[in-house]
Amino acid sequence: MVTRKEDFSKWYIQTIQKADLMDYSPVRGCMIFKPNGFEIWEHIQEALNYRFKQEGIRNAYFPMLIPESFFNKEKDHIEGFSPELPWVTEAAGEPLEERLALRPTSETMFGDAYSKWINSYRDLPMEMNQWANVFRWEKRTMPFLRTSEFLWQEGHTAHATAEEAKTRTQRMLDIYAEVIEGVLAIPVFKGEKTPSERFAGAERTYSVEAMMQDTKAVQAGTSHYMGTKFAEAFDIKYLNSDNEHVHAFTTSWGVSTRLIGAMIMSHGDDQGLVMPPRVAPQQVVFIPVGPWQKNPAIMDKIYELNEELASKQIRTVIDGSDNRPGYKFNEWELRGAPLRVEIGPRDLENNKVIVKARDLDEKVDVEFANFAEYIENALDEMQNRLLESARERNSQHIYTDINTLEELENHIEAKKAANENPGWILAGWDGTEESEAKIKERTGFTTRNIPVEGTVDKKAECIVTGKPAKETVWLARAY
Amino acid sequence: MVTRKEDFSKWYIQTIQKADLMDYSPVRGCMIFKPNGFEIWEHIQEALNYRFKQEGIRNAYFPMLIPESFFNKEKDHIEGFSPELPWVTEAAGEPLEERLALRPTSETMFGDAYSKWINSYRDLPMEMNQWANVFRWEKRTMPFLRTSEFLWQEGHTAHATAEEAKTRTQRMLDIYAEVIEGVLAIPVFKGEKTPSERFAGAERTYSVEAMMQDTKAVQAGTSHYMGTKFAEAFDIKYLNSDNEHVHAFTTSWGVSTRLIGAMIMSHGDDQGLVMPPRVAPQQVVFIPVGPWQKNPAIMDKIYELNEELASKQIRTVIDGSDNRPGYKFNEWELRGAPLRVEIGPRDLENNKVIVKARDLDEKVDVEFANFAEYIENALDEMQNRLLESARERNSQHIYTDINTLEELENHIEAKKAANENPGWILAGWDGTEESEAKIKERTGFTTRNIPVEGTVDKKAECIVTGKPAKETVWLARAY
């Protein structure tokens, strides 16, 4: 197997296939989520559904097909999405009168429905989410990170005031950060996208961005404040307490199955996947060792210990196959199982097992009496360790002292020569699209987001023009 | 509001709209699942996922778009589905080289993948499920029961032997019956579909059928044994222990969001929905009565009682709106909330609440001390009551003594004249498609299924020809 250092993209593709997370499909750009890959998504769904419910946001399901005329109602929206849309033009043997797009996102459908459902301020806020498949016909695809069909959740809300809508936009960004850090163990950088990177039709777009091991960025989640743009396009009005019909303020926000890709690129190593315990399909794998087949007491003990973990809702698997232990060790390391529990005749005699965490080298003897408690703690500790070690790694790849485009070009050259990754640059920016375009053209770096006020030191000058900086912005190469 | 007796279909449409379960969409035949409707589906999903997991069946996700060439591999399959397919013919501004169908079902996609993933008997059984949206372009649609896009689960399995595949087919039918009866409180009739009603491409199709209040049948779930037909079409072969490459035996099985429609038509009454507690989004609704706004202790008590139920995972809602209690009572009856809890100043003094079950007329005084326990039992009791009363109603509409087509025609006429529903007929059948077609032509009744051996008395003669009956079959009008 290729190492991350040799070829990170190739390492990624090999790893996800060998770990049985996905397969390619006969349809260009569309992939199959195999059970080991899909279950990661199910755990992300649980974590988000729990938080959505706490916020009073319920799930709905809207039709996948969107009439062409709907897109044309919001000019920026159609311009942004039309290059990527697949179209249904015939059904049941007959051409359709109007083309129907496979949804790339559903602001238009929610907008049309909200305009019917919202009448007075009593109907507000109206807040719904849906879990759905969406389509964006991509030229270059990469499993999980960029595919023509993917799975996501999209929340859509309407509010009586701009304030309330802005609060919802921020709150969802915070929830994304909580889940991506707390469940996927990926540290994120919160901030606002520049105008050129905004969602098509939004007034403001916020994102959480994550740094992969090759220091490329992944936009891990976005939250959009629409102002009244979609309300105007779809006529979402309510009767306010002054008896006037006024436009509502809307938001939308989403994360997708690209989080699975981000998780793999954040934690994997040259032996394969490293799964954060909270999303691992198998959190603990039991492997009998030594002449266990001749000693049935070993498997009996494994069943007993397994039962202890099952009662704590810990997800386990017992590998009682005929393969050699060494083969099984490799296999489960490749699949990223957080904890491995070995037990052989000697261990049984000594009332203990051997536990190894996927991300550590040492093996630990654990007595039967403390087993379940030890495992429970060890899973929590590994979860925290993965987040901390990703944070630590990130901090080594952040550059705050690059002040001109030339310095950035030199930095990139030097890193390339040393076979190292270029990292992320915290830069001053004059706020113009021209400067942003120049950065991209000369370095391949793009603006990721403008960090939340107060979280980083302000830059004095624009990295391109040397003029006073309007904002401070993260620059990086991105997936 | 129209009553069930006056116009059952109209009653259904009014009820689901007033109870806020769904809305129509701008796309012909496609509907919006609003949160109250979608949550019913979420509870069905939980119940099925739990059982799938116990069976060792995991969830996956396959691409929605299916290349036209895939359909052509199984002749019966394409013949059965092609009249209903929508096609994507262009994407990203360009015509596609090959049309892509929106999946009506995914045997072809799983078949193609399984042929790659299955090599030896060690890979078998291979068993996966997916939750997905599917498309069948319908001419006549009805919310939940028949829509152009709907949601379902489809399981696909491959086995080394015909026996094992048949066992899986039967087991899934049993699981559907368990969930539909145990969770949705709808009694079902298990049996095998006649050849003309088989899934396109199956060797045998089994179904669970349910009787609605208008005595029309709903096919509530199906399980198919494919033999080696799909394995031959998609080249799913494995190396058996004799070192020969042989075809696998496959199955598929599914239930859809039409179960939501079946649930409504089974339990609803002229006041609106009646939700079985296990799927009700709100199981208990608290309504303060009397001059409660002047007496804050009432709401405090409600919060306290609500907390007791929350700790038992009971889904509750507190209606503290400004509307009159009578209005609220009607509203929550319309929405089908299983239990209503009223509390006013007098109740508070007497340390009790008043509880009313949606399906019973009487109100019961319940002391605070027994509250949570009472509610827990009352929910279980209502769940059982709904199933039993549906069983009782079914038994009143089953006719086993109609032996000729003429008798059936007279029966239908007589029922019509009395403004009663025609029910289901248990009939003898000579097993020919001609007889089946004649029944449909003359009466509008179709064969539902052939009951599981031994569950009903065998019929001696065919209802059409009077010849010796090959099988006994349920006849009914159907949705």
Side-chain angles (χ1 to χ4, degrees), chain B residues 173 189-193 205-209 449-452:
Chain B
L173 195 71
F189 297 79
K190 276 193 256 186
E192 184 176 350
K193 299 298 265 189
T205 287
Y206 299 86
S207 74
V208 280
E209 306 274 335
N449 65 24
I450 298 156
V452 174

Side-chain angles (χ1 to χ4, degrees), chain A residues 45-325:
Chain A
Q45 289 186 300
E46 285 159 24
L48 285 170
N49 269 332
Y50 175 78
R51 286 164 179 83
F52 292 167
K53 203 171 168 185
Q54 284 185 314
E55 297 286 316
I57 296 163
R58 296 177 71 195
N59 292 327
Y61 185 77
F62 279 64
M64 192 197 67
L65 297 170
I66 305 183
E68 184 165 18
S69 56
F70 271 44
F71 280 98
N72 295 329
K73 291 191 183 187
E74 217 298 317
K75 194 177 61 68
D76 293 336
H77 196 64
I78 182 72
E79 272 177 23
F81 283 106
S82 69
E84 298 180 341
L85 296 179
W87 294 98
V88 173
T89 60
E90 36 186 277
E94 289 180 12
L96 296 178
E97 282 181 25
E98 180 180 14
R99 294 196 298 177
L100 301 170
L102 308 198
R103 72 180 149 223
T105 180
S106 304
E107 278 73 13
T108 56
M109 293 295 275
F110 278 80
D112 180 65
Y114 280 16
S115 76
K116 285 193 283 175
W117 298 340
I118 293 170
N119 294 302
S120 94
Y121 66 94
R122 287 165 184 266
D123 300 321
L124 297 174
M126 186 165 282
E127 307 192 296
M128 294 181 195
N129 175 63
Q130 79 172 353
W131 295 93
N133 53 342
V134 277
F135 293 81
R136 299 180 188 176
W137 220 248
E138 300 282 358
K139 288 222 172 53
R140 289 181 315 119
T141 62
M142 190 156 196
F144 297 115
L145 286 179
R146 189 181 296 278
T147 49
S148 295
E149 178 185 17
F150 57 95
L151 303 177
W152 81 347
Q153 61 67 217
E154 49 177 322
H156 297 273
T157 70
H159 306 264
T161 66
E163 242 64 70
E164 218 187 272
K166 284 176 182 170
T167 302
R168 171 54 70 211
T169 310
Q170 293 300 332
R171 177 69 191 127
M172 299 322 289
L173 195 72
D174 288 345
I175 284 178
Y176 290 154
E178 264 172 57
V179 168
I180 297 168
E181 296 194 334
V183 177
L184 291 164
I186 307 173
V188 294
F189 297 79
K190 276 193 257 186
E192 184 176 351
K193 299 298 267 188
T194 64
S196 75
E197 299 274 335
R198 265 182 209 141
F199 177 81
E203 282 209 354
R204 285 163 175 270
T205 288
Y206 300 86
S207 73
V208 282
E209 305 273 337
M211 190 195 293
M212 304 296 100
Q213 288 186 64
D214 61 353
T215 76
K216 281 173 93 168
V218 166
Q219 180 177 293
T222 49
S223 188
H224 315 291
Y225 169 68
M226 308 298 191
T228 57
K229 285 178 76 174
F230 278 90
E232 284 167 33
F234 286 89
D235 199 31
I236 309 174
K237 281 184 174 174
Y238 71 97
L239 195 66
N240 68 13
S241 45
D242 297 336
N243 242 7
E244 298 162 332
H245 281 96
V246 295
H247 286 118
F249 298 82
T250 68
T251 82
S252 73
W253 25 273
V255 299
S256 77
T257 37
R258 76 184 332 219
L259 285 177
I260 300 170
M263 185 272 276
I264 295 157
M265 286 190 170
S266 288
H267 305 303
D269 65 21
D270 293 341
Q271 277 66 55
L273 292 186
V274 177
M275 293 263 197
R278 294 205 180 118
V279 292
Q282 303 89 12
Q283 295 172 314
V284 176
V285 52
F286 287 95
I287 299 180
V289 297
W292 60 278
Q293 275 135 324
K294 293 175 194 153
N295 191 346
I298 290 178
M299 278 306 262
D300 287 346
K301 192 69 198 177
I302 287 181
Y303 292 132
E304 191 188 315
L305 296 174
N306 184 54
E307 205 44 49
E308 286 185 29
L309 300 189
S311 71
K312 287 179 182 282
Q313 319 293 336
I314 293 170
R315 299 184 288 273
T316 64
V317 62
I318 299 170
D319 189 344
S321 65
D322 288 344
N323 300 314
R324 292 177 297 102

Side-chain angles (χ1 to χ4, degrees), chain A residues 22-27 30-39 42 49 53 58-67 70 82-93 96 99-100 102-103 109 112-113 116-117 122 127-128 131 133 135 137 139 149 151 281-282 315 322-323, chain B residues 22-27 30-39 42 49 53 58-67 70 82-93 96 99-100 102-103 109 112-113 116-117 122 127-128 131 133 135 137 139 149 151 281-282 315 322-323:
Chain A
M22 59 74 62
D23 202 353
Y24 292 98
S25 89
V27 182
C30 296
M31 60 173 276
I32 297 168
F33 293 75
K34 296 181 82 171
N36 280 330
F38 190 75
E39 190 173 332
E42 292 182 301
N49 269 332
K53 203 171 168 185
R58 296 177 71 195
N59 292 327
Y61 185 77
F62 279 64
M64 192 197 67
L65 297 170
I66 305 183
F70 271 44
S82 69
E84 298 180 341
L85 296 179
W87 294 98
V88 173
T89 60
E90 36 186 277
L96 296 178
R99 294 196 298 177
L100 301 170
L102 308 198
R103 72 180 149 223
M109 293 295 275
D112 180 65
K116 285 193 283 175
W117 298 340
R122 287 165 184 266
E127 307 192 296
M128 294 181 195
W131 295 93
N133 53 342
F135 293 81
W137 220 248
K139 288 222 172 53
E149 178 185 17
L151 303 177
Q282 303 89 12
R315 299 184 288 273
D322 288 344
N323 300 314
Chain B
M22 60 75 61
D23 203 351
Y24 293 98
S25 89
V27 182
C30 295
M31 59 172 277
I32 298 169
F33 293 75
K34 296 181 81 171
N36 280 330
F38 191 74
E39 189 173 331
E42 291 182 301
N49 269 332
K53 204 170 167 185
R58 296 177 69 194
N59 291 328
Y61 185 77
F62 278 65
M64 192 199 65
L65 297 170
I66 306 184
F70 272 44
S82 68
E84 298 180 339
L85 296 179
W87 293 98
V88 174
T89 59
E90 36 186 276
L96 297 178
R99 293 195 298 176
L100 301 170
L102 308 198
R103 72 180 147 222
M109 293 297 274
D112 181 65
K116 285 193 283 175
W117 298 341
R122 287 165 184 266
E127 306 192 295
M128 294 181 195
W131 295 93
N133 53 343
F135 293 81
W137 219 248
K139 289 221 170 56
E149 178 184 17
L151 304 176
Q282 303 90 9
R315 300 185 287 273
D322 288 344
N323 301 314

Side-chain angles (χ1 to χ4, degrees), chain A residues 210-470:
Chain A
M211 190 195 293
M212 304 296 100
Q213 288 186 64
D214 61 353
T215 76
K216 281 173 93 168
V218 166
Q219 180 177 293
T222 49
S223 188
H224 315 291
Y225 169 68
M226 308 298 191
T228 57
K229 285 178 76 174
F230 278 90
E232 284 167 33
F234 286 89
D235 199 31
I236 309 174
K237 281 184 174 174
Y238 71 97
L239 195 66
N240 68 13
S241 45
D242 297 336
N243 242 7
E244 298 162 332
H245 281 96
V246 295
H247 286 118
F249 298 82
T250 68
T251 82
S252 73
W253 25 273
V255 299
S256 77
T257 37
R258 76 184 332 219
L259 285 177
I260 300 170
M263 185 272 276
I264 295 157
M265 286 190 170
S266 288
H267 305 303
D269 65 21
D270 293 341
Q271 277 66 55
L273 292 186
V274 177
M275 293 263 197
R278 294 205 180 118
V279 292
Q282 303 89 12
Q283 295 172 314
V284 176
V285 52
F286 287 95
I287 299 180
V289 297
W292 60 278
Q293 275 135 324
K294 293 175 194 153
N295 191 346
I298 290 178
M299 278 306 262
D300 287 346
K301 192 69 198 177
I302 287 181
Y303 292 132
E304 191 188 315
L305 296 174
N306 184 54
E307 205 44 49
E308 286 185 29
L309 300 189
S311 71
K312 287 179 182 282
Q313 319 293 336
I314 293 170
R315 299 184 288 273
T316 64
V317 62
I318 299 170
D319 189 344
S321 65
D322 288 344
N323 300 314
R324 292 177 297 102
Y327 177 92
K328 295 182 191 177
F329 292 176
N330 284 340
E331 186 69 15
W332 288 104
E333 278 180 7
L334 181 59
R335 289 166 180 254
L339 298 178
R340 177 174 90 210
V341 177
E342 305 167 26
I343 174 166
R346 189 78 63 83
D347 303 308
L348 189 63
E349 264 172 42
N350 295 326
N351 292 313
K352 68 162 187 76
V353 294
I354 296 169
V355 177
K356 185 182 174 305
R358 175 65 180 80
D359 63 322
L360 296 178
D361 287 331
E362 77 256 26
K363 294 177 168 194
V364 181
D365 284 346
V366 179
E367 290 184 18
F368 293 158
N370 311 326
F371 179 70
E373 198 188 348
Y374 178 89
I375 293 292
E376 211 169 19
N377 289 335
L379 289 171
D380 281 345
E381 281 167 17
M382 176 169 167
Q383 182 79 34
N384 297 336
R385 217 160 47 226
L386 290 183
L387 178 62
E388 282 317 310
S389 87
R391 277 215 175 101
E392 170 59 25
R393 193 183 57 233
N394 286 355
S395 70
Q396 290 164 14
H397 297 286
I398 284 173
Y399 300 91
T400 59
D401 54 356
I402 292 174
N403 296 313
T404 67
L405 264 194
E406 203 179 347
E407 281 174 30
L408 178 51
E409 286 172 322
N410 292 340
H411 164 82
I412 293 169
E413 274 308 308
K415 285 292 177 186
K416 197 176 173 187
N419 193 24
E420 284 173 8
N421 296 312
W424 288 23
I425 316 301
L426 193 64
W429 174 46
D430 63 7
T432 67
E433 280 197 32
E434 294 70 39
S435 294
E436 202 178 2
K438 196 162 281 177
I439 296 167
K440 187 172 180 182
E441 187 194 315
R442 282 182 48 184
T443 66
F445 276 48
T446 53
T447 59
R448 303 318 308 153
N449 65 26
I450 298 155
V452 175
E453 195 88 33
T455 58
V456 298
D457 289 337
K458 275 255 179 154
K459 287 282 173 180
E461 283 121 30
C462 174
I463 192 171
V464 181
T465 58
K467 289 185 194 155
K470 194 184 152 215

Side-chain angles (χ1 to χ4, degrees), chain B residues 409-436:
Chain B
E409 287 172 322
N410 292 340
H411 165 82
I412 293 169
E413 274 308 308
K415 286 292 178 187
K416 196 175 172 187
N419 194 25
E420 285 175 6
N421 295 312
W424 287 24
I425 316 300
L426 194 64
W429 174 46
D430 64 7
T432 66
E433 280 197 31
E434 293 72 39
S435 295
E436 204 178 1

